[in-house]
Amino acid sequence: MRITCPFCGPRDRREFTYLGADVWAEAPGPGAGLDALDAWLHLRDNPTGEGRELWQHEGGCRAWLIVTRNMTTHEILSVDPAPGAGGKVA
Amino acid sequence: MRYSGLKVLAEGLRGNRGWTQAWREPEPRKEYDIVLIGGGGHGLSTAYYLARNHGLRNIAVLEKGWIGGGNVGRNTTIVRSNYFLPGNQEFYGLSLRLWEGLEADLNYNVMFSQRGLLNLFHSDGQRDAFARRGNAMVNAGDDGVLLDREGVRRLVPYLDFDNARFPIHGGLLHARGGTARHDAVAWGYARGADSRGVDIVQNCEVTGIRVENGAVRGVETTRGAIAARKVGIVVAGRSSQVAAMAGLRLPIESHVLQAFVTEGLKPVINHVIAFGMGHFYISQSDKGGLVFGGDLDFHASYAQRGNLPMAEHVMEAGMTLMPMIGRARVLRSWGGIMDMSPDGSPIIDRTPIDGLYLNAGWCYGGFKAVPASGWCFAHLLATDQPHEAAARYRLDRFREGRLIDEEGTGSQHNLH
Ligand SMILES: Cc1cc2nc3c(=O)[nH]c(=O)nc-3n(C[C@H](O)[C@H](O)[C@H](O)COP(=O)(O)OP(=O)(O)OC[C@H]3O[C@@H](n4cnc5c(N)ncnc54)[C@H](O)[C@@H]3O)c2cc1C
Ligand SMILES: [Zn+2]
């Protein structure tokens, strides 16, 4: 598997670290309540088809990326910088 | 008794023509008291204990493929009860005790072999952690013995004790741990459930769950609608999809775990050896193949095959631990889909929908859980009360902050 980092170009999957579904990037604000925290931390759509995820190009430019992937074929459909790329999200 | 040494001998002399089908192949009926979705280890053991312990018989197990085609036939068969946290301790302790009586109970040879599980440590800090875990295991009624370096060497002299990065300082031996033949576990439970009247329906995929006024009414399947008073979801790596049929969103992310087996060799590895620092574990099957594996591929996946980077990592770790296996040829590798929960522990609970029950989140450790999971899930389905050994496996524990995080890695699905 190869991931094309928008900053560094195509790189081996081993340079990247996986965090999880892209909901990680949308941390609820203070006072959001238990349900919002539960949904953010724990609950997942967990699709069999296309899904958006957070990966970090840890062994490269260290930018956080939104990778859109097919979970059954592992085909990578797009790679974009995460909002505020570079800041650790979780 | 259907299976015995005498029977094997007699059948051998008669050309094995006298064996009959181990379970029926019934057409699904229009209605059952209880429908279990998923004919893996957990679905089959649940059906068996519903019949055996609670006298219920009007039950169907609906399996989209064939019995034993899921993770129950894809795992590396390690059975252990070496847990640290309350919640897991009582549950896996019960499971190991059930394993110890399983063959007699099922009248089926599942080749359960308590060859001992050895977890290696490589530093003073790790030794202290293992001593603490061993004490917890003993306090919970299970067994654990801390071995020093020479103690480990006496058992498994072929390891590389002086590896520069991970010198072996000792190990925690869990003598009652071991392996079993995974297919036989599925078949034994299937036969036991079938002979007590449970319908095991293969090639029957559940495509919808009927819910009316907050209560379950039955399921839609590729072989027609089936009404049911109670429905249990027991589908391992597919939990999120099946739960979504009833509008539920689960705290689960699916990941692929790989395993490998070599050509058959003469007996050489007599234990299960876990090299946690290298993410590697190994045992030898009764056919002689070295069976080994490592960690998840670490990214979400529904492909029942793995990626090469993890294959390479596992091979490297194996060579680090026991260079002698370098000449063995790998015959096969494969992957299975794990439903990873946010704390690495499972869920055996009711759902917010009346009559709909959930058994999920087994991560990579659900084979050893097959007996206790069926025992406790059957208890819940039959009595509507959680079994005391599984009372902490609640679905709402994540929201409530009552995590059972054995590895202490926090709420990230792939880190357990
Ligand atoms: C490589 C690997 C190594 C492992 N090693 C170990 C180990 O050493 N020790 C250990 O304890 N555990 C291990 N595990 C984990 C263990 O195998 C699983 O946790 C356990 O088998 C899951 O429960 P199950 O047997 O019920 O799953 P499965 O056998 O997967 O059963 C689920 C069934 O549900 C069916 N299903 C899904 N959707 C539907 C539907 N819509 N309708 C009808 N049926 C459906 C599937 O076809 C499947 O047969 C390992 C797993 C893997 C992949
Ligand atoms: Zn980059």
Side-chain angles (χ1 to χ4, degrees), chain B residues 36-44 62-80 83 92 204-207 234-239 242 245 256-260 281 304 334-339 359 361-370:
Chain B
L36 298 168
I37 311 175
H42 294 242
L44 294 168
L62 308 182
E63 166 55 48
K64 76 172 175 187
W66 67 95
I67 299 305
N71 291 313
V72 71
R74 289 170 177 268
N75 64 77
T76 46
T77 79
I78 291 159
V79 173
R80 59 189 166 92
Y83 283 77
Y92 289 103
C204 180
E205 179 170 359
V206 171
T207 53
V234 211
V235 291
R238 292 276 162 174
S239 304
V242 175
M245 294 173 191
V256 62
L257 180 71
Q258 302 191 57
F260 308 84
Y281 63 97
Q304 282 184 323
W334 64 94
I337 305 306
M338 320 279 78
D339 44 349
N359 179 313
W362 291 101
C363 303
Y364 43 77
F367 178 67
K368 63 181 172 296
V370 163

Side-chain angles (χ1 to χ4, degrees), chain B residues 225-293:
Chain B
I226 299 173
R229 290 194 302 113
K230 294 182 177 180
V231 173
I233 301 176
V234 211
V235 291
R238 292 276 162 174
S239 304
S240 298
Q241 280 71 43
V242 175
M245 294 173 191
L248 302 175
R249 192 159 176 253
L250 298 184
I252 282 178
E253 194 173 271
S254 293
H255 284 261
V256 62
L257 180 71
Q258 302 191 57
F260 308 84
V261 66
T262 70
E263 60 194 339
L265 303 168
K266 288 193 175 172
V268 55
I269 297 175
N270 299 324
H271 306 82
V272 180
I273 304 171
F275 171 36
M277 293 309 288
H279 312 290
F280 177 84
Y281 63 97
I282 188 165
S283 68
Q284 186 167 18
S285 79
D286 292 311
K287 274 197 292 187
L290 305 181
V291 181
F292 56 98

Side-chain angles (χ1 to χ4, degrees), chain A residues 14 35 45-46 69 71 74, chain B residues 249 300-302 312 399:
Chain A
R14 278 171 283 201
D35 287 333
D45 290 339
N46 199 18
R69 240 173 15 103
M71 303 303 159
H74 295 170
Chain B
R249 192 159 176 253
S301 173
Y302 284 92
E312 182 182 33
R399 186 179 179 281

Side-chain angles (χ1 to χ4, degrees), chain A residues 21-29 32 36-37 39-41 52 54 66 83 89:
Chain A
D22 70 337
V23 295
W24 277 118
E26 295 145 26
L37 273 171
W40 174 64
L41 268 174
R52 284 160 52 86
L54 269 175
I66 302 270
V89 193

Side-chain angles (χ1 to χ4, degrees), chain A residues 1 13-14 18-21 24 34-35 38 41-48 53 55 69 71-74, chain B residues 238 240-241 249-254 297-303 309 312 342 398-399 411-414:
Chain A
M1 198 160 120
R13 175 254 179 274
R14 278 171 283 201
Y18 172 87
L19 182 66
W24 277 118
L34 215 52
D35 287 333
D38 185 36
L41 268 174
H42 307 126
L43 303 182
R44 295 293 177 262
D45 290 339
N46 199 18
T48 55
E53 314 174 310
W55 292 68
R69 240 173 15 103
M71 303 303 159
T72 304
T73 63
H74 295 170
Chain B
R238 292 276 162 174
S240 298
Q241 280 71 43
R249 192 159 176 253
L250 298 184
I252 282 178
E253 194 173 271
S254 293
D297 276 22
F298 285 124
H299 59 76
S301 173
Y302 284 92
E312 182 182 33
F398 305 100
R399 186 179 179 281
S411 288
Q412 188 179 322
H413 302 74
N414 65 338

